[in-house]
Amino acid sequence: MKILVFNAGSSSLKFGVFDMAIEDCRVMKGEFENFKDSGCTLHYRVGGEQSETRQRHEKPATIEEAIRHVPALLQEFGYEHFNAIGHRVAHGGGEFEEATLIDDDTVRYIESCTPLAPLHNPANLNAIAVSRALWPTLPQVAVFDTAFHHTIPARAYTYAVPKEWRDTGLRRYGFHGTSHKYIALRIAKELSCPVTDLQIISCHLGNGASVCAVNRGFSIDTSMGMTPLEGLVMGTRSGDVDPGMFAYLGRECGLEVQAIENRLYKDSGLKALAGTHDMREIEQKAADGDEDAQLAINVYAYRARKYIGAYAAAMGGLDVIAFTGGIGENSASMRRRICDKFEFLGLHLDDDNNQTVSLKGFEAPQVQTFDSRIKVIVTQTCEQYMIAQETRHLLSQRNIISAQKSWHIPVAVSARHMHLSQKDVEKLFGKGHQLTHLRDLIQTEGWATEERVEVVGPKGSLKNVRILGPARERTQIEVSKTDTFTLGIEAPIRPSGKLDNTPVVKLRGSTGEIETNGLIIAARHIHMSPEDAIRMGLKDGDYVDVRLGAGGRGTVFTNTLIRVKEGYVTEMHIDTDEANAAGIEVKTSGELVKNETRQDVDIIARKNMELDGKNNDTVT
Ligand code: ADP
């Protein structure tokens, strides 16, 4: 599949052609900029990432004209044939959690998000409109900067403002999502480690800048908010300011809201502090003794460091700080300043390595010392590649849906339960105690026991929680999200057996009590017999989407792990919250709506499941 990608900004147009069948898949890239009446500058490269970048003058005087010029350019270099177009779209609001096929409804929805990204969405919409007119028969896909951040929890995306404001969509959304997702995957690849094992802080420091806490593959917080104005100091954007400033500027300086917003976007940030938004110039001026430039650098670094510290706390740990974007990739001194003071966390930068970083391609050099507990990695981002991947993924998914037979899978709702180690069985029920078999479960390896345990948290407790036998190596307590509120403890969604860094609860048995970690919300999964797996074209470790429930509450559960093992009876396991969400009361079946093994774009979810495969020792 060949894909053309557009990333249209307010003052430049970037594009790329990707041949997804080959490894070095970006076969052409280009950027039109410096638009004037007399034309613009085109930087372009034909061939893989190692090819030489060239520059020439072109006629287009506007971005719209530049898009119209792309077909001729592609023809000149022999890339005029492609199957689809992917567009970067800044703001997808609360609606779009993943890439979306562009139709009139999608366009209307993106338009409705424009007030949230007034500088960015209009440029993206303009590119979409011209491109739909130029290539009316090709599928076109919108890939949203906000989508990767849909996993940010409510506690992080909620502003403490009146409810009627929040009801209009006023919340934090986050941007640069495609870049942060790419960086997290790139870091995981570099470290040969599942992304789900890593706590990464991704620092995208370009003209626009943001920091993202990627906790085991999922964005849990990011510094840009409802608009791309919040957070770090940027080239011309202020980043965080006191909202009281608006009233002050209106009252004392007679400024209109529109004028204030405009200046916060265009006349603030580095430009306001140092007289230029270009970090190279600022660093030179600072070295020459310019105090404004020195202050700008200090403010910039301090803000970034503050966010990194906050996100390490938000994740409860930190393995990697990743730097990307023009400043993150090129400014060794800015990396040094930002990483200063993290020695208490065990971060030690190797100054020689830091200063000699050279990124010709998509290398990802590490610049910490050998004994540093936290890794610091510098790498280029490639939002266009992510957009091409997401586009390919969406299109192949659509084809598969239309071509695929439908399969029905029985569904069982798992109430809260636990598996105990023999050591814990004896602590709770007395020395030498063996779990008492009550009845068999459908899965041949598991059985319900007579014993019950009380699970006690800081807020409340769950009485009579069922134990499933036989005893396991480690104790694991599986509850629903709702149960975690009863207990007053947050629990992670984990595949069975993946228990590192899980929270501690108290268990009370008939003769004793213990404190143990192992509290999880079980990730949804399907036990599958090898015969069914062959029939459905699936294998262990694949994952699928399953449509469940009927009527108004029917819903599709994505990322459902397939577990294939001799002796398994095919059955999907969901928890009580999931059953309630889909309106399921009794036994039911779900329809498999997709049986494709996803591409790299969903490697995060897949890795999570693969990890499960390694650790999953018994039936849940
Ligand atoms: P955009 O967000 O527009 O894609 P970039 O990622 O290209 O922006 O980053 C632009 C920023 O990177 C500018 O502030 C520029 O000065 C800075 N930059 C580029 N090269 C260097 C360098 N060698 N040293 C310091 N800053 C640099």
Side-chain angles (χ1 to χ4, degrees), residues 14 204-208 277-280 283 325-327 330-331:
K14 295 179 185 156
H204 179 129
L205 310 180
N207 283 318
H277 69 275
D278 190 322
M279 186 56 87
R280 279 165 296 202
E283 287 184 346
I327 298 171
N330 297 301
S331 176

Side-chain angles (χ1 to χ4, degrees), residues 53 119 138 205 214 219-220 246 272 328 376 400 460 508 526 546 557:
T53 301
L119 286 191
L138 282 187
L205 310 180
V214 188
S219 168
I220 61 137
F246 282 80
V376 181
I400 281 171
R508 201 169 276 151
I526 297 175
V546 183
F557 286 110

Side-chain angles (χ1 to χ4, degrees), residues 43 65 125 271 303 307 310 366 389 393 468-469 522 541 553 564 594:
H43 306 271
E65 285 174 23
L125 281 163
K271 183 180 166 192
R303 182 85 53 89
Y307 266 99
Q366 300 184 25
Q389 284 279 34
H393 169 61
L468 300 188
R553 304 222 83 187
V564 182
K594 184 174 64 200

Side-chain angles (χ1 to χ4, degrees), residues 11 13 15 31-42 56-73:
S11 59
L13 172 75
F15 69 94
E31 178 173 7
F32 296 92
E33 60 168 13
N34 292 327
F35 289 97
K36 299 198 178 85
D37 289 348
S38 55
C40 65
T41 310
L42 169 70
R56 71 188 197 195
H57 181 78
E58 291 282 348
K59 279 198 190 127
T62 63
I63 291 189
E64 193 170 321
E65 285 174 23
I67 302 173
R68 293 188 193 286
H69 184 56
V70 168
L73 204 60

